[in-house]
Every structure is written in structure tokens, then in C-alpha cells.
Amino acid sequence: EDQVTQSPEALRLQEGESSSLNCSYTVSGLRGLFWYRQDPGKGPEFLFTLYSAGEEKEKERLKATLTKKESFLHITAPKPEDSATYLCAVQAGSNYQLIWGAGTKLIIKP
Amino acid sequence: GAGVSQSPSNKVTEKGKDVELRCDPISGHTALYWYRQRLGQGLEFLIYFQGNSAPDKSGLPSDRFSAERTGESVSTLTIQRTQQEDSAVYLCASSLLAASYEQYFGPGTRLTVT
């Protein structure tokens, strides 16, 4: 069964303390892995798409990487405004649906 | 350009009433998706449109839920005879095409059934 698991469920960091969020997946025929950010009371905001193992993408303090089994979202020197829930989703095979992880709630304390 | 918009932003309704939720996707996006997100939980896929057709309606929770899309644009999600368990945020997303394209989300409609 296709599955996406995110860890940890929640992560509390001090401002400036770098860390990584994990998204592991078991799917047949990965077509794309997507990272989103969701602020309370808002819809998810698209961050990155990764298509193949070894691919990396960066945006400001965020860097997403992809292997054959998992993706990491690295956050460098985070600021309080980076606090949000980060969602990972996978598209696989001929299935148009995205398989979503449950998210990691990131809290950055000033 | 304009993003995905949804209306209303909030809806409070009495149990047993019908509600209609509207989604206006990004212009030119052929694929449109509806999701449900219960408080503190992940996204639950409901239905997907390619153009005006819905190839798969299997995500709809019951026959009280229906959706349509017209003009390859606006979509309406209708919930009949609402129940308290229907209370959730209903999110709409659109993408340029269905395959391997990122989805852009609207702000959602928060539905509360009393």
C-alpha cells in the first residue's frame, strides 16, 4: 500500500537552530514529491517539487532533498516566521491523487 | 495573477440543512481538487476534476456529497442533509494539469454544523 510518513509530528526549535524534517514514502513509481507549508486557518502553500533521487531545491532558509526512500526539508537558521505545519505529498504511478503525510508542526521560538 | 478563491470563508449551518461551497480556480488550470481537513488532521481527498469531468468520485464520503464543475472553471461542492461530522475545513486546489504538477490551494471554507 502506498504510504507517506512524516516525522517528527512536532518540532520546537530556538531561533537560529537548524534542523531537518523527514518525509519517508513507500510508493510504486514515484512521479513527484511535493512540499507545502500550511499556516493556521489557511490553505497549504506550495514550496517545492522534487522528481528524482538526488534532486535538491532551495528557497530562502529551506532546502529540500530527495532519495529513493525519503525526502528531507532542511531549515537553516530558522526565524519565528518559519513556524507552520509542513506537509509532504507524493504522486505515484498513473494515480492523479496525491498521497499526503500528516505533517510536521514546526515552532520556532525567538 | 489571482489565486484560487473560495466562498464563503465561513459557514455555520444547522444539522439537516444543505450547503453549497464554491471554488474559483486559477485561470487556465484544467485540474481541480476538493479536500476535507478536520481539525488537527491531514488532508482527505474528496474528488478531482479534469476539465468538467470527474474521473473518480470514490473519495466522496457519502451520497450526501456531490460536486460539479462548469466551463472548466468554477466548481461547487454540495453537502445535503448536513451532519455534525461534516464540520471541517473544505479546501479546493487547482493545477495546470493533473499529472505531476503542483496544486495551488484556496484559503478554504470552514463549515460548522450545529
Side-chain angles (χ1 to χ4, degrees):
Chain A
E1 180 185 353
D2 294 340
Q3 195 169 358
V4 176
T5 304
Q6 290 188 247
S7 62
E9 289 186 10
L11 181 62
R12 288 173 173 79
L13 300 172
Q14 288 295 132
E15 183 173 2
E17 180 184 0
S18 302
S19 187
S20 297
L21 314 182
N22 178 265
C23 171
S24 64
Y25 60 92
T26 52
V27 299
S28 299
L30 177 73
R31 297 184 67 177
L33 185 143
F34 304 85
W35 281 99
Y36 286 83
R37 167 192 171 127
Q38 186 173 26
D39 292 294
K42 296 187 176 182
E45 174 189 350
F46 169 74
L47 293 174
F48 303 109
T49 307
L50 301 167
Y51 292 106
S52 57
E55 190 175 0
E56 299 182 352
K57 288 194 177 173
E58 290 188 63
K59 179 180 179 180
E60 296 179 354
R61 295 177 291 283
L62 298 177
K63 178 179 174 181
T65 62
L66 181 65
T67 73
K68 289 185 178 180
K69 294 183 179 180
E70 59 192 347
S71 176
F72 291 94
L73 184 65
H74 307 276
I75 182 160
T76 303
K79 298 181 178 181
E81 54 262 41
D82 296 321
S83 298
T85 295
Y86 290 84
L87 299 168
C88 167
V90 167
Q91 191 169 30
S94 59
N95 197 342
Y96 53 83
Q97 288 188 34
L98 295 184
I99 305 164
W100 291 85
T104 293
K105 184 174 183 178
L106 179 65
I107 299 171
I108 308 298
K109 297 181 179 181
Chain B
V4 178
S5 61
Q6 293 186 246
S7 61
S9 55
N10 282 284
K11 176 72 176 180
V12 180
T13 189
E14 293 180 352
K15 178 182 173 181
K17 295 286 181 66
D18 298 352
V19 294
E20 283 190 355
L21 312 180
R22 177 187 170 108
C23 172
D24 286 273
I26 293 172
S27 178
H29 279 195
T30 64
L32 186 148
Y33 309 79
W34 283 99
Y35 293 90
R36 179 168 69 180
Q37 188 174 33
R38 291 196 167 105
L39 187 64
Q41 298 189 18
L43 275 69
E44 176 187 0
F45 170 81
L46 297 179
I47 190 170
Y48 145 75
F49 287 91
Q50 179 60 51
N52 293 331
S53 300
D56 185 354
K57 302 178 182 180
S58 63
L60 295 176
S62 75
D63 59 7
R64 297 186 294 104
F65 288 72
S66 63
E68 65 174 12
R69 188 181 185 194
T70 57
E72 298 196 358
S73 180
V74 64
S75 176
T76 302
L77 177 69
T78 301
I79 308 173
Q80 295 179 312
R81 305 181 303 281
T82 52
Q83 303 294 314
Q84 288 188 332
E85 61 263 28
D86 298 334
S87 296
V89 175
Y90 290 82
L91 291 161
C92 174
S94 70
S95 67
L96 189 60
L97 295 170
S100 300
Y101 279 85
E102 52 268 21
Q103 298 178 15
Y104 293 88
F105 283 81
T109 293
R110 181 175 298 278
L111 176 66
T112 303
V113 182
T114 60

